[in-house]
Amino acid sequence: MGYSDQRFNVNLSILFTELPLLERPAAAAKAGFGAVELWWPWVDAPTPERSELDALKKAIEDAGVRLVGLNFYAGQLPGPDRGALSIPGEESEKFRANLAVAADFAQSLGCTALNALYGNRVDGVDPAVQDELALENLVSAAREADRVGAILLIEALNAPESPKCPLVSAPKAIEIVDKVNAATGLGNAKFLMDLYHLSMNGEDLPSVIEQYADRTGHVQIADNPGRGAPGTGSLPLEGLLDQLKKAGYEGWVGLEYKAADAAASFEWLPREARAAR
């Protein structure tokens, strides 16, 4: 099995960032990849101008790559924010304003996975109030995703890097997945299993895979320590992905790692294993 048995895509919000956004899809294609994913690219604009959306759509189409994952608006990412949907006031309003825009953009490119990042705890706000707001907004997000034939992803981050985020373990993320599915009856909320974040939490990765592979809608990887390419740290990523495959996971594996030179960072992955399939 090994890496050649997986379906990989490149996260263009963390790789190829030395290039302008509209040049990154072509760079991914040149490196041999047939699929890409994105964080919401307009950190200050949940509802960007149509011309900006159209330009990104054209860049993806012209490069001949598929968009297989997209985040809803999540605030300043990368940066201090970890999502917007649980934050009372302006941020959660921006999240709601973004829902139809992001879902329509995803649909226009055949993308069927939308990620909704939970957000940080806010000083002086009752966590229960934030959780109630979060569930309300996640229910709306699940319905928007369903409208365009997509799944809604719920991601666990890691406590060392995101100390104010409450979703920093696989069981906690799964708990939210279950609450959303119970509230909507749609069953389209799934776990986003980021092996880097879970390893930073010290979680037992083989056990997480065993328990939650069937609830997982998307996987992301980076090595640990360092959040670099596979082989730069000590995580047994090839074996973990093999285990996921054996457990029935057939979805995409997003490359969400840091590299000063993205094109040079893919040497661990044979070129024939990069094409979308």
Side-chain angles (χ1 to χ4, degrees):
M1 294 177 76
Y3 289 137
S4 60
D5 205 38
Q6 310 294 335
R7 299 165 72 201
F8 290 103
N9 70 273
V10 176
N11 187 312
L12 297 180
S13 299
I14 194 169
L15 286 163
F16 296 110
T17 53
E18 66 275 14
L19 299 173
L21 175 65
L22 297 183
E23 293 177 23
R24 294 177 207 169
K30 187 179 178 186
F33 290 93
V36 299
E37 63 181 60
L38 282 164
W39 303 338
W40 185 249
W42 300 279
V43 294
D44 298 318
T47 56
E49 296 292 328
R50 166 58 58 188
S51 59
E52 291 192 65
L53 290 159
D54 288 347
L56 180 56
K57 180 174 185 280
K58 184 175 188 304
I60 291 169
E61 289 174 336
D62 287 353
V65 293
R66 291 170 61 184
L67 182 68
V68 297
L70 178 68
N71 284 15
F72 287 114
Y73 171 80
Q76 296 287 330
L77 199 72
D81 298 335
R82 296 292 184 267
L85 62 91
S86 67
I87 298 172
E90 187 182 356
E91 282 301 284
S92 56
E93 287 168 13
K94 286 181 180 177
F95 176 82
R96 286 193 290 273
N98 171 251
L99 288 174
V101 177
D104 287 344
F105 183 75
Q107 185 182 39
S108 76
L109 285 160
C111 171
T112 57
L114 289 155
N115 185 21
L117 287 169
Y118 203 82
N120 289 326
R121 290 302 193 208
V122 179
D123 294 341
V125 179
D126 183 346
V129 170
Q130 282 195 259
D131 291 339
E132 189 177 340
L133 175 64
L135 183 58
E136 189 181 308
N137 283 331
L138 284 167
V139 164
S140 297
R143 289 179 176 143
E144 274 299 315
D146 182 67
R147 176 179 68 81
V148 298
I151 58 172
L152 176 72
L153 296 169
I154 311 285
E155 181 175 7
L157 302 181
N158 76 76
E161 294 175 326
S162 305
K164 290 188 170 183
C165 179
L167 264 62
V168 287
S169 74
K172 184 62 185 175
I174 290 289
E175 180 189 319
I176 302 300
V177 167
D178 288 343
K179 283 182 176 174
V180 174
N181 284 332
T184 64
L186 295 169
N188 70 330
K190 304 278 186 183
F191 179 39
L192 195 167
M193 185 187 291
D194 184 312
L195 296 175
Y196 167 75
H197 287 314
L198 301 178
S199 71
M200 283 286 288
N201 289 328
E203 294 183 68
D204 180 338
L205 299 182
S207 173
V208 168
I209 291 169
E210 189 180 331
Q211 290 181 76
Y212 303 128
D214 62 335
R215 319 285 302 283
T216 298
H218 191 64
V219 171
Q220 291 172 335
I221 62 169
D223 215 331
N224 188 20
R227 199 172 184 174
T232 59
S234 57
L235 278 185
L237 288 166
E238 196 162 11
L240 292 166
L241 293 177
D242 276 352
Q243 186 192 344
L244 264 162
K245 192 85 173 171
K246 286 173 186 161
Y249 179 73
E250 296 284 338
W252 292 95
V253 177
L255 305 181
E256 198 183 62
Y257 62 76
K258 296 176 182 175
D261 180 349
S265 76
F266 301 121
E267 289 175 6
W268 59 276
L269 185 61
R271 197 170 178 93
E272 63 273 12
R274 301 177 194 178
R277 58 187 188 282

